[in-house]
Amino acid sequence: MEGPISARHKWQALGTLCVTMFMAMLDNVIVNIALPRIGRDLDAGISGLQWVAEGYSLVYAALLLTGGTLGDRYGRTRVFRFGLALFTLGSAAAALAGDIGVLVAARMLQGVGAALLTPGSLAILRQVFTDEKERARAIGLWSGVSALGLSIGPVIGGPMVDAFGWASVFWINVPVGLLAMVLAYRVLPVIAPRERRIDLGGLALSAAGLGALVYGLIEGPGRGWADPVVLACGAAAIVLLTAFVLVELRVAEPMLELRLFRDRVLAGALLSGLTVSFGMFGALFFLPLMLQGVMRWAPTDAGYAGLPMTAVIMLAAPLSGRLTSRHGARLPLVLGIALCAAGLGGLSLYGGHAHYWSYVWTLVVLGFGMGLTFTPVSIAVLQRVAPAQTGMASATINTLRELGGVLGIAVLGAVLTNRLTDSLTTALPRLGLPVDHASRAVSALTGHGAGPAAAPTPAPVQAAVDTAFVDALHLALRCGSAALAATAVLVAVLLHRPAVRRPVAEPAPVGGSAPVGGSARRRTVNHSTE
């Protein structure tokens, strides 16, 4: 599609972008509910099942910056379409997989496709919606659908697996992906590629460094943080990412503009995306363990428990766009992060025997907080970078969000595992069981063991395990809540600045108000963060 964009085509384009982002975000979480059935049908061990879930995140996080750069070089719409095709192909391959190795490879292909289409989505949206108020509304809807994909996965995944088998969580992407490909060719504008040199050194170092970091974080809770493989990944990540920073400071056209992090508003927005994902991914990963492992809920029922949070996210995201357009990013960001902190802290007040309706308010608060934070991050970044840097900036947002999620699961998982191990090591010997029984119980509850059968079955022992798990989960939730509360204060400080009006073409000073990498086209805009 070329030439002026009609109002009808604008909203058709938004619908296409929303559908594809929904699929990419949904795939982060929906497969988790299908893992027990996959393990049974494909005769897979826990290690293989972990990689079914985490292989996607590994490739997605490692290649997001690369996807943004390739979109700039070869055309954002073209790379978006190619990524969508790869994602759809990977979904079909995953649904047809007959062994665990093929399934993991297909999941990684999905991750490649998602990494190519995600940065282009926000860049295309900016091209389509040129009016700032209209764009804020569009980003609100786009962000709400993205957040919805993360929260609704367990809700729809459980019934689908029960009714149609595990392959259905992948088959659902195929018709949706094919329809989105048709729409992408019909309604998305063609954005010409930008002449730029490919930063091959940056591409290699960022992909390898992020890959090593995410791999180490994924393997840490299962192998142990002192395991040689985990330590080697950590060391490699430090070396590679340090080299990446040094390379990006030297090259004329870096794939990551490090001046983004010198701008206080941008730094606050990017930190918000990282920390919200840290707290929320950790909570969303471990809450189903309590519902199914301690409260003995069925997977479908545990999935339905998240419906209030999903509904509130859908309401809050568009509201967040309007708040950001009227008051700037500071109000919805700080309020949203604070609500997330309150929700996690509130959830830590309830034990394994609590009635669902007594703590459902915490899920509502969490959903409202999540919905408020997704949109202003994207709007703040779009307002403060040049159009040519939108793909790179979008890739940076999503890379930090993905890393935040992996960090949340790894760090909060380590807190939970350590507390649980300590509690059971003390409690189980009092019941006449050997200490090694504690490690088996921990492995079963945290997903690193042989499954539910590995947990002790006598009633007193099961009660001790349940009590220890709830106590450990409470500690993990409070750590996540504290991290979010500290971030809310820091973001409030970073974004606490008076409105300043400057031409976009003016170079951005440290903490300044002009967009980073200002465009040559001069116009005056209000960059209020108040």
Side-chain angles (χ1 to χ4, degrees), residues 68-94:
T69 299
L70 294 178
D72 288 341
R73 177 65 178 83
Y74 297 106
R76 291 164 183 166
T77 308
R78 181 183 301 170
V79 171
F80 176 89
R81 292 167 178 164
F82 182 61
L84 181 56
L86 286 182
F87 185 89
T88 306
L89 179 63
S91 299

Side-chain angles (χ1 to χ4, degrees), residues 186-284:
R186 291 178 59 88
V187 304
L188 294 185
V190 176
I191 303 176
R194 183 165 67 90
E195 285 299 325
R196 62 171 297 176
R197 300 171 65 180
I198 295 293
D199 178 15
L200 294 177
L203 289 176
L205 289 170
S206 67
L210 289 171
L213 176 62
V214 175
Y215 183 90
L217 291 172
I218 287 172
E219 290 292 299
R223 290 176 175 264
W225 296 105
D227 182 83
V229 173
V230 175
L231 292 176
C233 286
I238 292 171
V239 171
L240 291 168
L241 293 176
T242 300
F244 170 69
V245 170
L246 295 175
V247 167
E248 296 306 281
L249 290 172
R250 286 173 164 268
V251 297
E253 292 187 279
M255 66 181 296
L256 175 62
E257 177 54 76
L258 295 173
R259 280 190 299 166
L260 285 174
F261 300 96
R262 297 170 57 193
D263 182 290
R264 286 170 35 173
V265 175
L266 285 173
L270 294 171
L271 175 65
S272 301
L274 174 76
T275 312
V276 168
S277 291
F278 174 91
M280 300 315 301
F281 271 74
L284 293 174

Side-chain angles (χ1 to χ4, degrees), residues 26 37 39 68 83 118 124 158 170 180 237 242 249 254 302 392 415 418 428 445:
L26 183 72
R37 192 72 61 86
T118 300
I124 294 168
F170 301 111
T242 300
L249 290 172
M392 176 271 296
V415 170
N418 290 338
L428 293 186
L445 276 170

Side-chain angles (χ1 to χ4, degrees), residues 394-411:
S394 175
T396 303
I397 295 170
N398 287 287
T399 298
L400 290 176
R401 279 178 175 159
E402 196 70 20
L403 284 175
V406 175
L407 279 168
I409 293 173
V411 175

Side-chain angles (χ1 to χ4, degrees), residues 33 151-159 288 291-292 297-308 310 356:
I33 207 79
S151 63
I152 206 173
V155 176
I156 65 175
L291 293 176
Q292 296 181 54
W297 287 27
T300 299
D301 294 334
Y304 286 152
L307 277 174
T310 299
Y356 175 72

Side-chain angles (χ1 to χ4, degrees), residues 46 50 289 442-449:
I46 289 297
Q50 281 183 285
L289 293 177
V442 171
S443 295
L445 276 170
T446 56
H448 299 295

